[in-house]
């Protein structure tokens, strides 16, 4: 969508920022933003998303959602190439069984509003199960933490680019 309709004000991040309601921001501030937060995005992915957006339009405002659980060298991965594949060949999106299945389930749920369809979601888990999930995620994210010097360097590069191009750059730290 960012390639088809580039906007000058964006919010970039992972799933934590995906729920930010740009229509509410527009209603309150009068400014139109695009929410470019993608579930599963790593810092590498977010950096690539920024550079793609910067190459598409003259950005005015950029808000990064910062997820400290991903701010670790041990969480290094990049899903941006999937997005590039889908830009180049959009039909590929539905060619993976996971995307096809998720899209089908989401469509059925939107039509029927039957919560049994999504009953296996962790959102419906009992408190004990939620605590177990939380402990395992804390262990996964922080047990072998390594400071990501490369992320810090890239954030500085982005900051410098924004300063040189008169782009307002802000960081949003959302509660986990």
């Amino acid at each position: 969508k960012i390639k088809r309709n580039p906007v000058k004000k964006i919010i970039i991040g992972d799933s934590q920022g995906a729920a930010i309601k740009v229509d509410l921001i527009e209603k309150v501030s009068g400014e139109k933003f695009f929410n470019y937060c993608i579930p599963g995005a790593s810092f590498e992915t977010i950096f690539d998303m920024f550079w793609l957006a910067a190459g598409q339009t003259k950005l005015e405002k950029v808000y990064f959602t910062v997820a400290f659980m991903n701010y670790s060298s041990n969480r290094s991965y990049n899903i941006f190439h999937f997005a590039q594949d889908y830009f180049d060949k959009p039909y590929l999106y539905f060619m993976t069984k996971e995307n096809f299945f998720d899209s089908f389930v989401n469509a059925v749920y939107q039509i029927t509003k039957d919560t049994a369809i999504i009953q296996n979601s962790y959102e419906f888990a009992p408190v004990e199960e939620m605590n177990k999930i939380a402990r395992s995620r804390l262990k996964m994210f922080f047990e072998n933490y390594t400071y990501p010097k490369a992320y810090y360097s890239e954030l500085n590069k982005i900051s410098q680019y924004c300063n040189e191009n008169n782009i307002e750059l802000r960081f949003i730290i959302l509660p986990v």
Side-chain angles (χ1 to χ4, degrees):
K1 188 172 179 179
I2 195 121
K3 284 186 100 169
R4 288 189 307 253
N5 187 21
V7 295
K8 297 175 183 288
K9 300 169 185 172
I10 60 174
I11 302 165
I12 298 178
D14 62 9
S15 59
Q16 289 184 339
I20 294 174
K21 295 177 177 27
V22 291
D23 55 337
L24 180 59
I25 294 171
E26 185 175 0
K27 184 178 176 181
V28 172
S29 70
E31 296 183 291
K32 187 171 184 74
F33 277 82
F34 177 71
N35 186 332
Y36 198 20
C37 295
I38 299 175
S42 64
F43 274 89
E44 289 99 331
T45 305
I46 293 167
F47 298 150
D48 284 347
M49 291 162 49
F50 170 81
W51 293 115
L52 173 69
Q56 297 296 313
T57 191
K58 168 68 175 101
L59 294 170
E60 294 175 1
K61 293 184 179 183
V62 176
Y63 289 76
F64 271 88
T65 65
V66 180
F68 285 108
M69 61 195 168
N70 285 332
Y71 195 74
S72 171
S73 294
N74 296 332
R75 299 282 301 152
S76 180
Y77 61 93
N78 194 334
I79 61 171
F80 187 77
H81 66 91
F82 293 116
Q84 190 60 54
D85 292 346
Y86 301 147
F87 287 142
D88 297 340
K89 300 174 185 167
Y91 62 87
L92 288 177
Y93 182 80
F94 291 106
M95 300 301 280
T96 64
K97 67 179 180 187
E98 294 83 6
N99 288 347
F100 180 79
F101 180 75
D102 285 348
S103 297
F104 176 77
V105 170
N106 286 334
V108 171
Y109 174 74
Q110 289 301 318
I111 293 166
T112 67
K113 300 297 185 196
D114 181 1
T115 57
I117 293 168
I118 56 171
Q119 217 53 58
N120 289 331
S121 171
Y122 70 87
E123 295 171 22
F124 294 98
V127 173
E128 304 80 37
E129 185 65 24
M130 289 294 290
N131 286 337
K132 182 178 174 185
I133 292 168
R135 282 190 297 277
S136 72
R137 289 190 177 167
L138 283 171
K139 183 177 180 180
M140 175 177 66
F141 290 121
F142 299 113
E143 185 173 57
N144 296 312
Y145 181 84
T146 304
Y147 185 79
K149 293 177 185 173
Y151 297 176
Y152 180 77
S153 175
E154 187 67 14
L155 286 169
N156 276 315
K157 186 170 136 185
I158 288 170
S159 178
Q160 182 178 357
Y161 176 86
C162 289
N163 284 335
E164 291 170 357
N165 291 280
N166 203 27
I167 300 167
E168 182 181 318
L169 175 63
R170 298 285 184 253
F171 296 93
I172 303 170
I173 302 170
L174 299 170
V176 178

